[in-house]
């Protein structure tokens, strides 16, 4: 897929090494409200509570062998808004399954975050993240050797993700960088020199003072899991062949 043909070139974050794209108005306010209602009204067992956030996994969590049991995503996560726009932009055109088959929903309250990490080899190296509810800053760090310390290290790049936006990362940004969200109630030090997608923001004027107070942000992370097992073969991945 060439960038010229993908519809993404105008959304490229040019100050990054390669392959990151930001669309500030991917969803309308009505579409955002619909998705937030579906997420927040999900049955409580759908939520997994961690120490610093809670999350939902659709259609299911991966097995210990990083395999996804084949099952469709719920319709509200793909149509009529998300999947047609992904297709129009060609985002998953070169992914093995041609579409996302897994969605992780994370809710971050003010003060919550996630330490720098990588998504791992279970997925095709492409992530499409839709942000809902409130803006947040994603920090990128180059990978280090195991014996190198990361204590007090500043992020190499920062991406401000507005509500209703889409961020697509692939290539070196996926394979050579860790990404994390700071545990803070206030994002600071924001500006055109520190935020690499500043020129693509929908509401850059909101951050001209260099900071904002965190709200509750919900992210929808769309990915393509490489290994998928049909339901009839599921037991061997779940330990049923012992």
């Amino acid at each position: 897929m060439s960038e010229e043909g993908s519809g993404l070139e105008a959304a490229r974050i040019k100050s990054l090494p390669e392959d990151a794209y930001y669309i500030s108005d991917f969803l309308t306010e009505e579409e955002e409200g619909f998705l937030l209602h579906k997420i927040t009204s999900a049955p409580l067992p759908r939520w997994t509570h961690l120490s610093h956030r809670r999350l939902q996994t659709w259609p299911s969590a991966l097995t210990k062998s990083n395999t996804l049991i084949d099952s469709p995503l719920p319709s509200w996560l793909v149509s009529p808004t998300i999947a047609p726009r992904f297709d129009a932009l060609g985002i998953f055109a070169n992914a093995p399954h041609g579409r996302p088959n897994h969605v992780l929903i994370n809710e971050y309250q003010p003060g919550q975050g996630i330490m720098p990490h990588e998504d791992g080899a279970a997925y095709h190296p492409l992530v499409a993240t839709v942000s809902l509810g409130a803006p947040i800053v994603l920090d990128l760090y180059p990978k280090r050797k195991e014996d190198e310390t990361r204590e007090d290290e500043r992020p190499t790049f920062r991406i401000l993700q507005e509500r209703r936006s889409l961020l697509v990362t692939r290539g070196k940004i996926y394979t050579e960088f860790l990404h994390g969200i700071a545990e803070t109630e206030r994002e600071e030090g924001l500006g055109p020199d520190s935020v690499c997608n500043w020129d693509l923001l929908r509401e850059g004027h909101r951050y001209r003072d260099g900071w904002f107070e965190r709200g509750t942000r919900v992210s929808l992370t769309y990915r393509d899991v490489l290994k998928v097992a049909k339901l009839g073969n599921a037991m061997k991945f779940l330990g049923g062949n012992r």
Side-chain angles (χ1 to χ4, degrees):
M1 173 180 62
S2 69
E3 273 87 21
E4 289 77 14
S6 72
L8 282 175
E9 184 58 29
R12 177 185 288 277
I13 303 177
K14 296 182 174 63
S15 61
L16 291 177
E18 64 173 72
D19 290 355
Y21 309 88
Y22 180 79
I23 298 175
S24 64
D25 54 354
F26 185 70
L27 297 177
T28 67
E29 291 187 17
E30 291 76 17
E31 291 163 348
E32 177 191 41
F34 169 78
L35 288 170
L36 285 172
H37 172 73
K38 298 294 289 188
I39 292 166
T40 57
S41 63
L44 287 178
R46 261 293 173 187
W47 289 102
T48 298
H49 292 263
L50 305 179
S51 58
H52 297 284
R53 69 190 191 283
R54 65 175 184 163
L55 58 87
Q56 297 178 25
T57 307
W58 295 91
S60 64
L62 305 187
T63 69
K64 291 182 180 180
S65 61
N66 284 334
T67 299
L68 178 68
I69 305 305
D70 190 26
S71 181
L73 290 168
S75 61
W76 58 269
L77 277 174
V78 291
S79 63
T81 56
I82 306 293
R85 292 172 195 172
F86 283 174
D87 290 343
L89 293 167
I91 292 173
F92 284 89
N94 285 348
H97 298 99
R99 57 177 175 79
N101 56 17
H102 191 261
V103 179
L104 190 64
I105 299 175
N106 280 288
E107 180 190 81
Y108 296 93
Q109 300 282 350
Q112 295 181 333
I114 185 170
M115 66 184 300
H117 66 284
E118 60 181 323
D119 289 331
Y123 308 98
H124 177 67
L126 166 69
V127 178
T129 302
V130 178
S131 292
L132 309 174
I136 209 163
V137 173
L138 183 73
D139 295 324
L140 301 179
Y141 304 81
K143 288 184 181 179
R144 297 286 186 232
K145 296 179 181 178
E146 290 186 5
D147 58 349
E148 291 182 316
T149 180
R150 189 174 296 279
E151 187 175 354
D152 297 329
E153 180 183 9
R154 294 180 180 273
T156 303
F157 301 107
R158 309 186 78 198
I159 300 173
L160 201 166
Q161 295 174 263
E162 299 166 286
R163 57 185 296 187
R164 309 197 307 278
S165 69
L166 172 69
L167 174 66
V168 178
T169 56
R170 64 186 189 190
K172 289 182 179 179
I173 294 299
Y174 185 98
T175 59
E176 298 183 11
F177 286 82
L178 306 180
H179 57 278
I181 294 172
E183 294 181 353
T184 183
E185 295 186 0
R186 178 181 168 115
E187 299 281 9
E188 298 182 310
L190 308 177
D193 295 328
S194 61
V195 174
C196 58
N197 62 322
W198 188 266
D199 61 322
L200 297 172
L201 295 177
R202 180 182 68 249
E203 299 179 313
H205 62 278
R206 289 188 55 193
Y207 316 109
R208 62 174 176 265
D209 292 331
W211 63 274
F212 65 85
E213 298 287 347
R214 283 257 193 98
T216 299
R217 182 255 190 167
V218 176
S219 64
L220 282 62
T221 303
Y222 289 79
R223 289 177 288 206
D224 185 359
V225 179
L226 297 175
K227 292 171 26 179
V228 178
K230 296 295 184 182
L231 190 58
N233 298 324
M235 288 306 294
K236 71 178 182 178
F237 294 101
L238 298 172
N241 61 335
R242 291 178 294 178

